[in-house]
Amino acid sequence: MTYCVGLKLRRGLVLMSDTRTNAGVDNISTFKKLFVWESPGERSVTILTAGNLATTQSVISILDQHTKDQDAESARTILTASSMFTVAQLIGAVLRDVIARHSQETVVKAECPFSATLIVGGQVKGEEPRLFLIYPEGNFAEAAEDTPYFQTGETKYGRPILVRAFDPDMSFEDAAKLLMVSFDSTIKANLSVGLPLDMHIYRTGSLRTGICRRITPDDSYFEMISTSWGESLRQAVAALPPYMLD
Amino acid sequence: MTYCVGLKLRRGLVLMSDTRTNAGVDNISTFKKLFVWESPGERSVTILTAGNLATTQSVISILDQHTKDQDAESARTILTASSMFTVAQLIGAVLRDVIARHSQETVVKAECPFSATLIVGGQVKGEEPRLFLIYPEGNFAEAAEDTPYFQTGETKYGRPILVRAFDPDMSFEDAAKLLMVSFDSTIKANLSVGLPLDMHIYRTGSLRTGICRRITPDDSYFEMISTSWGESLRQAVAALPPYMLD
């Protein structure tokens, strides 16, 4: 499994992923699932990957290779496309093609073993920052006012706190805290989601890579969250009046 | 979907289920999923059902019919079996048979559309209260010291709070409160889990049906929990120190 979240705040984007991959509980590894491209002063694009590792690595390699090729055919890359919408289209097309090739089928189904889902966030000069969820079929949804965040992978354990405490006006510091609470609940419940976590904080208008952090198992802040949150929850329940039986 | 929880406390058992059934989001109904049998002074048995409605209703009807039949063959019923272990065996056998009959196959698979999972809790005179999770295959697990509760159905949203705040020494009032918080998080996240909720609180040694309550959409306590819990979570997150970016 995997857990990835992309938040769209008024002040920018906060994207976080875990790094655990597994083929059964007896075969786990650490792989990066957060990838950032930039053209400083012009754009920043981040991709969070969830799904089959061969698929997602292939997609990332192809997208990256295209940005480095000089020939005409690949002229439109995630570093040259005219808008984030076109960036999402390019990524979706590569994702669909890779899955189709790996599965040797003409019809791509979301349930196929080579499937993957991507969160893409970024800003191209002249636009506001945008956030997309790209499906295995290559099509995508864009985050909007009502639900300005996307989750992929093991989304359920960490969702209630996100739904309740997310606020598009929150600071980057509070957003990072909220994500760590959400990831901690998920990591405690599902062995196939694990530390370290990768985070990219992109500030609206900066048009370059923002703050990138890796939260490792010995990160003292994450350790504090992990310990304190259980106690916070217990206290929050304790503070509510008990159900009256009589 | 469905959400059912059985808690084994030192002072007794607390069992709760939702009542929503659905065949697509455009076809939802309310059905009881909590069933209690008693032989006052001798035993109390509660079943929580999750899964295919035709299967679970059939299982409950057969088990109930057996308690009323007078012939020799059905002499061992959930009201006469010598222990809760035997009660669980009887229920498991009926569940497996019903699924096999409905699917017209000799091999029963958990993924089959007629599948169902049951939580069974109760006490037979001479034993401590016991709590079981019965699988579609008819076999079962028993709750023990380390994990004295079982969930079925849509378990993920409501699990983190249960894992963190459950305490086998807690009062019935606090257990009912904890379950309502857990159910509220689930109901808010999954349309196929819904009010009203049914609850049976069984006191160790009473050997008869305990307090049975139906929590309806206009229940003022549940409404208070539902409103306050979001605010409690927001405050709990706010009380933690923010992540430092510099």
Side-chain angles (χ1 to χ4, degrees):
Chain A
M1 209 71 161
T2 281
Y3 184 35
C4 295
V5 182
L7 304 179
K8 191 176 156 194
L9 307 176
R10 301 244 183 273
R11 66 195 72 218
L13 302 167
V14 183
L15 303 117
M16 190 180 277
S17 75
D18 81 317
T19 53
R20 181 158 294 173
T21 65
N22 74 301
V25 288
D26 55 350
N27 186 358
I28 65 169
S29 309
T30 300
F31 279 94
K32 214 168 80 155
K33 303 173 189 174
L34 182 152
F35 303 88
V36 185
W37 288 263
E38 64 169 351
S39 170
E42 204 277 321
R43 78 179 60 202
S44 166
V45 176
T46 306
I47 300 182
L48 302 176
T49 64
N52 182 284
L53 185 63
T55 295
T56 58
Q57 286 190 335
S58 186
V59 168
I60 297 298
S61 291
I62 291 170
L63 290 170
D64 195 58
Q65 189 60 47
H66 283 176
T67 67
K68 291 163 183 163
D69 287 349
Q70 300 300 320
D71 62 344
E73 199 186 26
S74 59
R76 254 190 5 167
T77 73
I78 55 177
L79 285 185
T80 59
S82 61
S83 69
M84 277 303 297
F85 183 83
T86 315
V87 168
Q89 282 183 314
L90 288 176
I91 298 172
V94 171
L95 175 62
R96 184 181 52 231
D97 290 351
V98 169
I99 296 174
R101 186 151 29 85
H102 287 196
S103 54
Q104 300 286 335
E105 288 172 14
T106 51
V107 182
V108 179
K109 294 192 190 77
E111 303 76 20
C112 96
F114 308 107
S115 191
T117 305
L118 310 176
I119 292 174
V120 177
Q123 184 175 20
V124 169
K125 200 174 181 178
E127 286 191 334
E128 286 303 296
R130 298 171 76 171
L131 183 67
F132 299 91
L133 181 67
I134 303 193
Y135 300 104
E137 293 80 359
N139 58 352
F140 47 83
E142 180 171 3
E145 195 87 359
D146 291 319
T147 307
Y149 51 82
F150 285 126
Q151 301 171 285
T152 54
E154 177 54 280
T155 60
K156 293 187 177 184
Y157 297 111
R159 190 169 177 83
I161 188 63
L162 216 55
V163 171
R164 254 78 170 246
F166 176 80
D167 174 358
D169 291 316
M170 71 203 311
S171 67
F172 286 136
E173 287 81 355
D174 283 341
K177 173 173 70 173
L178 176 61
L179 285 182
M180 289 199 211
V181 170
S182 180
F183 272 76
D184 176 56
S185 293
T186 309
I187 287 169
K188 281 214 167 58
N190 188 329
L191 280 180
S192 70
V193 178
L195 292 166
L197 309 177
D198 285 325
M199 175 168 64
H200 178 209
I201 297 182
Y202 172 78
R203 187 178 299 276
T204 300
S206 66
L207 299 169
R208 66 190 68 239
T209 304
I211 300 168
C212 285
R213 289 278 169 86
R214 170 157 283 202
I215 292 101
T216 55
D218 60 354
D219 184 283
S220 61
Y221 181 81
F222 188 81
E223 229 170 275
M224 180 278 292
I225 290 285
S226 187
T227 314
S228 313
W229 183 244
E231 189 47 40
S232 301
L233 280 182
R234 273 187 291 277
Q235 286 175 7
V237 175
L240 295 173
Y243 183 70
M244 283 300 141
L245 290 177
D246 307 311
Chain B
M1 209 69 164
T2 281
Y3 184 36
C4 295
V5 182
L7 304 179
K8 192 175 156 195
L9 307 176
R10 301 244 183 273
R11 66 195 73 219
L13 302 168
V14 184
L15 303 117
M16 190 181 275
S17 75
D18 81 317
T19 54
R20 182 158 294 174
T21 65
N22 74 300
V25 288
D26 55 351
N27 185 358
I28 65 169
S29 309
T30 300
F31 279 95
K32 216 169 78 156
K33 304 174 190 174
L34 182 152
F35 303 89
V36 186
W37 289 261
E38 65 169 349
S39 171
E42 205 277 321
R43 79 180 57 203
S44 166
V45 176
T46 306
I47 300 182
L48 303 176
T49 65
N52 181 284
L53 185 64
T55 296
T56 58
Q57 285 190 335
S58 185
V59 168
I60 296 298
S61 292
I62 291 170
L63 290 169
D64 196 57
Q65 189 60 46
H66 283 177
T67 67
K68 290 164 186 164
D69 287 350
Q70 300 299 320
D71 62 344
E73 200 185 28
S74 59
R76 254 189 7 165
T77 74
I78 56 178
L79 284 185
T80 59
S82 61
S83 69
M84 277 303 297
F85 183 83
T86 315
V87 167
Q89 282 183 314
L90 289 176
I91 298 171
V94 171
L95 175 61
R96 185 181 51 231
D97 290 351
V98 168
I99 295 174
R101 186 151 31 84
H102 287 195
S103 54
Q104 300 285 336
E105 288 171 11
T106 50
V107 182
V108 179
K109 293 191 191 76
E111 302 77 20
C112 97
F114 308 107
S115 190
T117 305
L118 310 176
I119 292 173
V120 177
Q123 184 175 20
V124 170
K125 199 174 182 178
E127 284 191 335
E128 287 302 297
R130 298 172 76 171
L131 184 68
F132 299 90
L133 181 66
I134 304 194
Y135 300 105
E137 293 80 0
N139 58 353
F140 47 84
E142 180 171 2
E145 194 86 359
D146 291 320
T147 307
Y149 51 83
F150 284 126
Q151 302 171 285
T152 54
E154 177 55 279
T155 61
K156 292 186 177 185
Y157 297 112
R159 190 170 177 82
I161 188 63
L162 216 56
V163 171
R164 254 77 170 246
F166 176 79
D167 173 359
D169 291 316
M170 71 203 312
S171 67
F172 287 134
E173 287 82 356
D174 283 342
K177 173 174 69 173
L178 176 59
L179 286 182
M180 289 198 211
V181 171
S182 179
F183 272 76
D184 176 56
S185 292
T186 310
I187 287 169
K188 281 214 167 59
N190 188 329
L191 279 180
S192 70
V193 178
L195 292 166
L197 308 177
D198 285 325
M199 175 168 65
H200 178 208
I201 297 181
Y202 172 79
R203 187 178 298 277
T204 300
S206 66
L207 300 169
R208 65 190 69 240
T209 304
I211 300 168
C212 286
R213 290 277 170 86
R214 170 157 284 203
I215 293 102
T216 55
D218 60 354
D219 184 282
S220 62
Y221 182 80
F222 188 82
E223 229 171 275
M224 180 278 294
I225 290 284
S226 187
T227 314
S228 313
W229 184 243
E231 189 48 40
S232 301
L233 279 182
R234 274 187 290 277
Q235 286 175 5
V237 175
L240 295 172
Y243 183 70
M244 283 299 141
L245 290 177
D246 307 310

